[in-house]
Amino acid sequence: MLELHDAPLAPLTTFRLGGPAARLITATTDAEVVAAVRDADAAGTPLLLIGGGSNLVIGDKGFAGTALRIATEGFSLDGTTLELAAGEVWTDAVARTVEAGLAGIECLAGIPGSAGATPIQNVGAYGQEVSSTISEVIAYDRKTGETVTLTNAECAFSYRHSRFKADPDRHVVLRVRFELEDANGLSAPVKYAETARTLGVEPGDRVPLTDARETVLKLRAGKGMVLDPEDHDTWSAGSFFTNPILTDEAFAAFHARVRERFGADAVPPAYPAGEGHTKTSAAWLIDKSGFTKGYGTGPARISTKHTLALTNRGEASTEDLLALAREVVAGVHDAFGITLVNEPVTVGVSL
C-alpha cells in the first residue's frame, strides 16, 4: 500500500475540488482494502472511500481522517458472467464487454468512475441500470468483520439507490459480478427514446453492440458527460441532481403550478415510477426555473451543454459550487414546489 500524509484529494475527483486528507492510502488488492478498513475502524479513524472520484464533493477544508483510494484491478469473463474488481475503470470495462460481444451494459458507456461505485448508486443512463445485470456484489462488512456475497435482491436496488447507499458506513464493495447476454453481437433492446431516435430504430429494437455504445458516447459527449481535461463542462459530477419521483398527489400539485406558470395546455415531463408515483425531469425543472445552460458568472457555473451538470470552470472552490447548487435548489422550489436532491456524495459539507 502507498501511504501519503496531508495529501491533495482534488486531483482524485472529476470536480477537481476539495482540500487534503490527513492520510491517503492507495490499495491495489482486496486484502489491502480490507486491511486498511479494519485498521481505520479499530483506531476509530474517520474513513473516506475513493474510487474514480466522479461522485464526490469534498469540502475545501479536506478530510481529517484516512482517505482510502481503491485501485484494485481485475476483469474476468466466464461465458456471460463478468466479474470486475472495484477499482476497474468502468468505461474501459464496458468497452471490453462490447468487444467480447456481450450485451447488457453497452448503454452505460462513457460514465466516469470505477466499477465498485456502480452498485452503490445503481448507476443508470440511456435506458439501462446496473441493477438489471448485477448478479452478486462481494463486499467487506464492517459490522461483522467478514467478507460477504450479496445477491441482487439483497442489494435492494431502486432508482439511484441501494442498501449500500442507504447504509454507507457498513459495506465496502470489493468485486461486482454481472450476468450479461450473448445476443449474437446485438445490444439489449433499446429502451431510451433519444437513443432509439438517434440510431434510427424503434424502442425495443436491438442494434449492433458497437453502434449502441458509440451512439451513447456521442450523446454523452454532446452533453459534456464524457471526461475531457480540456473541456471545463466535464469538470463535474455528471448529473448533479436526481430526477424527482413524486406521489400522485404531489405530481398533481406540480402539474397545477406548471399550468399556472406556462398556460392551461402546459404538460411537464412525466414517466411511470411504480404504482402511485411519477418521475419528472430535473433538467427540465432547472431550465424552466431560469437556470439555463451556462448560467452563472463566477468560477462555478451550469454546464454550457447540459443544465443538469454543475461545473468547475477552473478556479472554483467547493463553496463556489455549493452556492450555485443552493441557488438552483431554491429557485426550483420557488417555481415548482419541488426540492431537488443532490446525486453526488458530499464530504464535510452539505447543501
Side-chain angles (χ1 to χ4, degrees), residues 296-320:
T297 57
R301 303 179 196 175
I302 290 178
S303 166
T304 67
K305 300 181 179 71
H306 199 293
T307 53
L308 204 47
L310 308 187
T311 68
N312 170 12
R313 307 315 294 183
E315 301 294 333
S317 66
T318 301
E319 277 307 309
D320 293 327

mmCIF file of all heavy atoms in Angstrom, residues 296-320:
data_model
loop_
_atom_site.group_PDB
_atom_site.id
_atom_site.type_symbol
_atom_site.label_atom_id
_atom_site.label_comp_id
_atom_site.label_asym_id
_atom_site.label_seq_id
_atom_site.Cartn_x
_atom_site.Cartn_y
_atom_site.Cartn_z
ATOM 1 N N GLY A 296 -24.559 31.531 -14.702
ATOM 2 C CA GLY A 296 -23.599 31.880 -13.667
ATOM 3 C C GLY A 296 -22.532 32.817 -14.197
ATOM 4 O O GLY A 296 -22.262 32.855 -15.397
ATOM 5 N N THR A 297 -21.934 33.558 -13.295
ATOM 6 C CA THR A 297 -20.872 34.478 -13.673
ATOM 7 C C THR A 297 -19.578 34.199 -12.918
ATOM 8 O O THR A 297 -18.542 34.780 -13.219
ATOM 9 C CB THR A 297 -21.289 35.937 -13.395
ATOM 10 O OG1 THR A 297 -21.630 36.069 -11.998
ATOM 11 C CG2 THR A 297 -22.493 36.327 -14.246
ATOM 12 N N GLY A 298 -19.628 33.312 -11.957
ATOM 13 C CA GLY A 298 -18.455 33.021 -11.144
ATOM 14 C C GLY A 298 -17.685 31.824 -11.654
ATOM 15 O O GLY A 298 -17.907 31.338 -12.771
ATOM 16 N N PRO A 299 -16.789 31.296 -10.830
ATOM 17 C CA PRO A 299 -15.954 30.158 -11.248
ATOM 18 C C PRO A 299 -16.678 28.820 -11.245
ATOM 19 O O PRO A 299 -16.145 27.835 -11.739
ATOM 20 C CB PRO A 299 -14.817 30.168 -10.228
ATOM 21 C CG PRO A 299 -15.399 30.820 -9.010
ATOM 22 C CD PRO A 299 -16.383 31.827 -9.514
ATOM 23 N N ALA A 300 -17.882 28.769 -10.688
ATOM 24 C CA ALA A 300 -18.728 27.573 -10.766
ATOM 25 C C ALA A 300 -19.991 27.957 -11.524
ATOM 26 O O ALA A 300 -20.670 28.911 -11.156
ATOM 27 C CB ALA A 300 -19.074 27.055 -9.377
ATOM 28 N N ARG A 301 -20.295 27.216 -12.587
ATOM 29 C CA ARG A 301 -21.441 27.561 -13.428
ATOM 30 C C ARG A 301 -22.126 26.286 -13.905
ATOM 31 O O ARG A 301 -21.550 25.199 -13.868
ATOM 32 C CB ARG A 301 -21.000 28.379 -14.652
ATOM 33 C CG ARG A 301 -20.251 29.645 -14.309
ATOM 34 C CD ARG A 301 -19.827 30.378 -15.565
ATOM 35 N NE ARG A 301 -18.791 31.370 -15.262
ATOM 36 C CZ ARG A 301 -18.164 32.101 -16.173
ATOM 37 N NH1 ARG A 301 -18.463 31.944 -17.460
ATOM 38 N NH2 ARG A 301 -17.242 32.963 -15.799
ATOM 39 N N ILE A 302 -23.344 26.465 -14.395
ATOM 40 C CA ILE A 302 -24.023 25.355 -15.054
ATOM 41 C C ILE A 302 -23.315 25.097 -16.378
ATOM 42 O O ILE A 302 -22.877 26.023 -17.064
ATOM 43 C CB ILE A 302 -25.513 25.682 -15.262
ATOM 44 C CG1 ILE A 302 -26.230 25.699 -13.905
ATOM 45 C CG2 ILE A 302 -26.175 24.679 -16.203
ATOM 46 C CD1 ILE A 302 -27.696 26.065 -13.974
ATOM 47 N N SER A 303 -23.203 23.846 -16.745
ATOM 48 C CA SER A 303 -22.555 23.460 -17.992
ATOM 49 C C SER A 303 -23.181 24.179 -19.183
ATOM 50 O O SER A 303 -24.390 24.422 -19.214
ATOM 51 C CB SER A 303 -22.685 21.947 -18.183
ATOM 52 O OG SER A 303 -22.373 21.564 -19.505
ATOM 53 N N THR A 304 -22.364 24.506 -20.156
ATOM 54 C CA THR A 304 -22.890 25.118 -21.387
ATOM 55 C C THR A 304 -23.565 24.085 -22.277
ATOM 56 O O THR A 304 -24.186 24.441 -23.277
ATOM 57 C CB THR A 304 -21.765 25.806 -22.192
ATOM 58 O OG1 THR A 304 -20.851 24.809 -22.682
ATOM 59 C CG2 THR A 304 -21.010 26.812 -21.346
ATOM 60 N N LYS A 305 -23.451 22.799 -21.900
ATOM 61 C CA LYS A 305 -24.005 21.727 -22.728
ATOM 62 C C LYS A 305 -25.204 21.023 -22.106
ATOM 63 O O LYS A 305 -25.971 20.372 -22.810
ATOM 64 C CB LYS A 305 -22.915 20.687 -23.027
ATOM 65 C CG LYS A 305 -21.709 21.233 -23.783
ATOM 66 C CD LYS A 305 -20.699 20.129 -24.066
ATOM 67 C CE LYS A 305 -19.493 20.642 -24.831
ATOM 68 N NZ LYS A 305 -18.628 21.494 -23.984
ATOM 69 N N HIS A 306 -25.367 21.135 -20.773
ATOM 70 C CA HIS A 306 -26.443 20.391 -20.113
ATOM 71 C C HIS A 306 -26.778 21.059 -18.787
ATOM 72 O O HIS A 306 -25.893 21.277 -17.960
ATOM 73 C CB HIS A 306 -26.030 18.941 -19.878
ATOM 74 C CG HIS A 306 -27.183 18.014 -19.643
ATOM 75 N ND1 HIS A 306 -27.971 18.075 -18.535
ATOM 76 C CD2 HIS A 306 -27.686 16.999 -20.388
ATOM 77 C CE1 HIS A 306 -28.900 17.136 -18.590
ATOM 78 N NE2 HIS A 306 -28.745 16.462 -19.719
ATOM 79 N N THR A 307 -28.057 21.366 -18.589
ATOM 80 C CA THR A 307 -28.451 22.096 -17.382
ATOM 81 C C THR A 307 -28.321 21.270 -16.106
ATOM 82 O O THR A 307 -28.342 21.824 -15.010
ATOM 83 C CB THR A 307 -29.907 22.575 -17.492
ATOM 84 O OG1 THR A 307 -30.753 21.469 -17.808
ATOM 85 C CG2 THR A 307 -30.042 23.633 -18.567
ATOM 86 N N LEU A 308 -28.185 19.963 -16.228
ATOM 87 C CA LEU A 308 -28.131 19.114 -15.038
ATOM 88 C C LEU A 308 -26.727 19.008 -14.442
ATOM 89 O O LEU A 308 -26.542 18.454 -13.368
ATOM 90 C CB LEU A 308 -28.656 17.717 -15.383
ATOM 91 C CG LEU A 308 -29.218 16.847 -14.260
ATOM 92 C CD1 LEU A 308 -30.180 17.616 -13.375
ATOM 93 C CD2 LEU A 308 -29.891 15.616 -14.839
ATOM 94 N N ALA A 309 -25.735 19.546 -15.151
ATOM 95 C CA ALA A 309 -24.354 19.453 -14.672
ATOM 96 C C ALA A 309 -23.895 20.807 -14.127
ATOM 97 O O ALA A 309 -23.972 21.828 -14.813
ATOM 98 C CB ALA A 309 -23.428 19.012 -15.800
ATOM 99 N N LEU A 310 -23.409 20.804 -12.895
ATOM 100 C CA LEU A 310 -22.748 21.974 -12.320
ATOM 101 C C LEU A 310 -21.253 21.772 -12.498
ATOM 102 O O LEU A 310 -20.744 20.675 -12.276
ATOM 103 C CB LEU A 310 -23.098 22.128 -10.841
ATOM 104 C CG LEU A 310 -24.585 22.119 -10.477
ATOM 105 C CD1 LEU A 310 -24.768 22.465 -9.006
ATOM 106 C CD2 LEU A 310 -25.393 23.054 -11.357
ATOM 107 N N THR A 311 -20.548 22.825 -12.887
ATOM 108 C CA THR A 311 -19.160 22.646 -13.295
ATOM 109 C C THR A 311 -18.202 23.616 -12.614
ATOM 110 O O THR A 311 -18.579 24.718 -12.200
ATOM 111 C CB THR A 311 -19.023 22.828 -14.818
ATOM 112 O OG1 THR A 311 -19.280 24.192 -15.153
ATOM 113 C CG2 THR A 311 -19.991 21.932 -15.574
ATOM 114 N N ASN A 312 -16.964 23.179 -12.539
ATOM 115 C CA ASN A 312 -15.840 23.997 -12.083
ATOM 116 C C ASN A 312 -15.167 24.548 -13.338
ATOM 117 O O ASN A 312 -14.641 23.784 -14.145
ATOM 118 C CB ASN A 312 -14.882 23.119 -11.274
ATOM 119 C CG ASN A 312 -13.564 23.805 -10.961
ATOM 120 O OD1 ASN A 312 -13.404 25.006 -11.145
ATOM 121 N ND2 ASN A 312 -12.607 23.027 -10.470
ATOM 122 N N ARG A 313 -15.190 25.857 -13.485
ATOM 123 C CA ARG A 313 -14.627 26.449 -14.703
ATOM 124 C C ARG A 313 -13.106 26.587 -14.625
ATOM 125 O O ARG A 313 -12.484 27.135 -15.522
ATOM 126 C CB ARG A 313 -15.251 27.817 -14.981
ATOM 127 C CG ARG A 313 -16.750 27.833 -15.009
ATOM 128 C CD ARG A 313 -17.383 26.693 -15.782
ATOM 129 N NE ARG A 313 -17.100 26.725 -17.223
ATOM 130 C CZ ARG A 313 -17.595 25.872 -18.096
ATOM 131 N NH1 ARG A 313 -18.384 24.886 -17.676
ATOM 132 N NH2 ARG A 313 -17.303 25.967 -19.373
ATOM 133 N N GLY A 314 -12.514 26.044 -13.558
ATOM 134 C CA GLY A 314 -11.056 26.004 -13.469
ATOM 135 C C GLY A 314 -10.496 26.603 -12.200
ATOM 136 O O GLY A 314 -9.443 26.181 -11.726
ATOM 137 N N GLU A 315 -11.208 27.570 -11.626
ATOM 138 C CA GLU A 315 -10.698 28.245 -10.429
ATOM 139 C C GLU A 315 -11.693 28.200 -9.278
ATOM 140 O O GLU A 315 -11.558 28.963 -8.312
ATOM 141 C CB GLU A 315 -10.380 29.715 -10.764
ATOM 142 C CG GLU A 315 -9.350 29.903 -11.870
ATOM 143 C CD GLU A 315 -7.968 29.406 -11.459
ATOM 144 O OE1 GLU A 315 -7.676 29.400 -10.252
ATOM 145 O OE2 GLU A 315 -7.198 29.007 -12.355
ATOM 146 N N ALA A 316 -12.664 27.348 -9.365
ATOM 147 C CA ALA A 316 -13.722 27.309 -8.350
ATOM 148 C C ALA A 316 -13.237 26.666 -7.055
ATOM 149 O O ALA A 316 -12.277 25.895 -7.033
ATOM 150 C CB ALA A 316 -14.935 26.550 -8.881
ATOM 151 N N SER A 317 -13.934 26.985 -5.981
ATOM 152 C CA SER A 317 -13.793 26.281 -4.713
ATOM 153 C C SER A 317 -15.054 25.460 -4.510
ATOM 154 O O SER A 317 -16.053 25.633 -5.219
ATOM 155 C CB SER A 317 -13.641 27.274 -3.557
ATOM 156 O OG SER A 317 -14.848 28.022 -3.393
ATOM 157 N N THR A 318 -15.020 24.576 -3.532
ATOM 158 C CA THR A 318 -16.216 23.806 -3.238
ATOM 159 C C THR A 318 -17.346 24.712 -2.786
ATOM 160 O O THR A 318 -18.506 24.499 -3.138
ATOM 161 C CB THR A 318 -15.927 22.740 -2.165
ATOM 162 O OG1 THR A 318 -14.896 21.871 -2.643
ATOM 163 C CG2 THR A 318 -17.160 21.922 -1.847
ATOM 164 N N GLU A 319 -17.028 25.756 -2.040
ATOM 165 C CA GLU A 319 -18.062 26.689 -1.604
ATOM 166 C C GLU A 319 -18.700 27.412 -2.779
ATOM 167 O O GLU A 319 -19.897 27.699 -2.766
ATOM 168 C CB GLU A 319 -17.494 27.697 -0.593
ATOM 169 C CG GLU A 319 -17.458 27.175 0.828
ATOM 170 C CD GLU A 319 -18.818 26.652 1.302
ATOM 171 O OE1 GLU A 319 -19.820 27.386 1.154
ATOM 172 O OE2 GLU A 319 -18.871 25.523 1.806
ATOM 173 N N ASP A 320 -17.913 27.720 -3.810
ATOM 174 C CA ASP A 320 -18.486 28.307 -5.024
ATOM 175 C C ASP A 320 -19.520 27.356 -5.632
ATOM 176 O O ASP A 320 -20.611 27.773 -6.043
ATOM 177 C CB ASP A 320 -17.396 28.585 -6.063
ATOM 178 C CG ASP A 320 -16.423 29.669 -5.652
ATOM 179 O OD1 ASP A 320 -16.848 30.614 -4.958
ATOM 180 O OD2 ASP A 320 -15.235 29.568 -6.018
#
